[in-house]
Amino acid sequence: MNIHEYQAKEILSSYSIPVPRGRVALTSDQVERAAKEMGGRCVIKAQIYAGGRGKAGGVKLVHHPEQAQDYGKELFGKRLVTPQTGPEGLKVRRILVEEAVEIAREFYLSITLDRATSRYCLIASAEGGVDIEEVAQKSPEKIHVLTIDPYTGLRPYQARRIALALGLTGSLCEDCVELMLNLYKVVLDKDCSLVEINPLVVTRAGWLMAMDAKINFDDNAIFRHREYPDMMDYSQLDTLEINAGKYDLSYIKLSGNVGCMVNGAGLAMATLDVLKEYGGEPANFLDVGGGATREKVAEAFKIILEDGDVKGVFVNIFGGIMRCDVIAQGIIEAASEVHCTLPIVVRMDGSKVQEGKQLLVDSGLNVQTADSLGEGAERIVQMLG
Ligand code: ADP
Ligand code: MG
């Protein structure tokens, strides 16, 4: 789960990590007022669930409150396209107005989960800042990576070694050590999969400060933090993914035209593979889970059909826990409700399979059944052909 920069900075600040003074605004009038508070000269920052805003016009230094307001008007409602958003961009609904800081040096610092070692690792670089991706490709030796032992945690001497490698000395080095240790506390306390400060800066006045902040929470830990769901900005998410989340379905949009509804993640992956093998292109990955109810199947089916790219649906369900006649009822209910005329192929197996198939055949829908995965994939590709 993602949160905005201003929320991430509030968290960092509560762990004694210095951030610029700032205020979040929802209207251009609020942008103007906040700019006045900052003394006129300030930085206007579009809040979207993506980075790369600086180069896309989402971060701007202004000198007067009126200029801030004008820029606010321009940004609100605009879809900002950055290298991280995809071509459709993300809509700006919130703006962070921040004091303009005089920057002397910029660094990259993050702690993220390394899935290969199942441990957190701290990543730091004295070069990069905004162009960290480029540094990682061209001169990876300039990036310092430290795998953190979960038993000992991040030790001060390890943090100091990294701070020295970044070229920090004296009290700045010690400030940086403290900052890294606090950052590690954030990661643990808040169950983060990523905390990134890019750039971490040394100001002209000689202080360390987090100039940007990105935090991702581990979705599996949300139940431990009651405040997280309210921190989510739904305007930044795909509506279909929001609906899927509500019904506890795993849904991921893909680029093809065959909607897929499957129970179990492993079966879903196998289904996409076999579909591709027969020349089909999946429009999504949707796992309804093991013990799905009729309502859940109906909801899943509707989510698939709401995607305008879907030209046909392939259902592949193993009715181990679920009964096939119940699945069939869910499909029929959903398809009739949204007046679906698209071709549907249902491959199912398990208890009450004959009854399930019979219900589908009698339903009047444009549906065919299949006995094997390959047969089903071949059939839906033919029906679309
Ligand atoms: P993004 O990573 O999305 O491009 P950042 O928040 O990192 O956005 O901003 C881009 C650049 O703008 C930063 O690298 C920094 O140089 C500058 N910047 C951001 N916030 C401020 C600020 N409050 N004062 C001065 N410069 C800033
Ligand atoms: Mg940044």
Side-chain angles (χ1 to χ4, degrees):
M1 178 191 144
N2 251 312
I3 54 172
H4 283 302
E5 174 195 3
Y6 77 92
Q7 295 166 315
K9 280 178 165 164
E10 279 167 17
I11 293 176
L12 295 187
S13 179
S14 71
Y15 280 76
S16 310
I17 295 175
V19 300
R21 218 157 35 93
R23 231 172 212 290
V24 67
L26 301 174
T27 65
S28 47
D29 286 342
Q30 287 180 351
V31 171
E32 186 200 13
R33 264 188 283 153
K36 261 189 200 140
E37 251 181 62
M38 304 293 154
R41 189 168 175 277
C42 58
V43 177
I44 307 294
K45 308 183 81 173
Q47 299 295 289
I48 53 170
Y49 279 0
R53 297 161 303 163
K55 289 182 177 169
V59 178
K60 195 177 163 81
L61 176 72
V62 297
H63 299 275
H64 310 287
E66 304 80 63
Q67 201 189 350
Q69 187 180 30
D70 288 347
Y71 202 59
K73 275 186 193 148
E74 194 183 318
L75 275 181
F76 274 125
K78 184 176 166 182
R79 294 192 85 92
L80 201 61
V81 180
T82 85
Q84 296 180 15
T85 59
E88 67 288 352
L90 282 169
K91 221 179 205 165
V92 181
R93 305 285 288 270
R94 304 177 196 189
I95 287 180
L96 175 62
V97 181
E98 228 174 40
E99 65 171 309
V101 176
E102 302 282 345
I103 298 171
R105 294 178 65 188
E106 299 200 348
F107 303 91
Y108 174 92
L109 177 65
S110 69
I111 298 180
T112 186
L113 201 58
D114 175 5
R115 290 176 199 281
T117 56
S118 309
R119 292 179 174 198
Y120 280 118
C121 63
L122 184 144
I123 303 171
S125 171
E127 272 184 51
V130 193
D131 294 314
I132 186 69
E133 288 86 359
E134 206 180 309
V135 179
Q137 283 209 329
K138 291 197 181 141
S139 32
E141 73 285 352
K142 291 187 176 146
I143 295 180
H144 309 279
V145 181
L146 170 77
T147 303
I148 301 171
D149 185 322
Y151 184 69
T152 60
L154 177 63
R155 308 308 304 157
Y157 79 90
Q158 297 174 310
R160 192 167 297 114
R161 199 180 282 164
I162 300 254
L164 288 169
L166 294 179
L168 297 170
T169 52
S171 62
L172 259 181
C173 175
E174 286 314 302
D175 286 351
C176 189
V177 169
E178 198 185 316
L179 186 146
M180 288 179 193
L181 296 177
N182 285 331
L183 199 66
Y184 185 58
K185 271 195 211 130
V186 172
V187 168
L188 292 185
D189 289 356
K190 303 291 179 187
D191 286 309
C192 303
S193 51
L194 169 75
V195 181
E196 182 185 71
I197 305 179
N198 184 25
L200 169 72
V201 310
V202 176
T203 66
R204 285 259 179 85
W207 301 103
L208 271 179
M209 206 180 245
M211 208 52 47
D212 187 11
K214 180 183 166 87
I215 290 185
N216 283 346
F217 296 132
D218 179 348
D219 289 344
N220 294 313
I222 292 179
F223 75 98
R224 285 207 285 234
H225 306 270
R226 289 190 152 187
E227 70 282 15
Y228 286 0
D230 288 337
M231 293 172 81
M232 195 117 85
D233 178 359
Y234 289 97
S235 75
Q236 301 291 306
L237 304 177
D238 184 307
T239 46
L240 295 180
E241 288 179 15
I242 297 172
N243 275 339
K246 256 197 289 202
Y247 290 92
D248 206 18
L249 306 162
S250 310
Y251 172 88
I252 292 159
K253 167 102 177 88
L254 301 171
S255 57
N257 61 1
V258 182
C260 298
M261 182 166 88
V262 187
N263 67 333
L267 191 58
M269 286 194 276
T271 304
L272 302 199
D273 280 349
V274 174
L275 182 62
K276 281 212 146 211
E277 193 75 16
Y278 282 91
E281 286 296 333
N284 68 276
F285 173 104
L286 194 153
D287 172 13
V288 293
T293 59
R294 189 172 88 184
E295 290 75 23
K296 217 165 152 181
V297 168
E299 212 43 54
F301 206 76
K302 279 191 241 168
I303 286 172
I304 289 178
L305 294 180
E306 257 175 62
D307 175 358
D309 296 337
V310 168
K311 300 290 176 257
V313 184
F314 182 24
V315 180
N316 183 19
I317 295 221
F318 177 73
I321 300 171
M322 298 167 80
R323 269 173 29 202
C324 292
D325 55 339
V326 174
I327 297 160
Q329 280 165 359
I331 295 170
I332 295 166
E333 195 178 295
S336 330
E337 197 179 309
V338 297
H339 307 294
C340 169
T341 53
L342 299 178
I344 305 169
V345 171
V346 180
R347 182 260 171 165
M348 49 188 189
D349 220 335
S351 55
K352 302 256 181 190
V353 63
Q354 287 315 327
E355 288 87 337
K357 280 187 179 165
Q358 197 56 48
L359 282 169
L360 288 168
V361 171
D362 296 342
S363 68
L365 295 169
N366 184 8
V367 61
Q368 294 194 16
T369 58
D371 290 324
S372 76
L373 181 45
E375 187 192 333
E378 192 174 11
R379 195 156 285 175
I380 189 70
V381 172
Q382 271 169 4
M383 283 172 91
L384 286 174

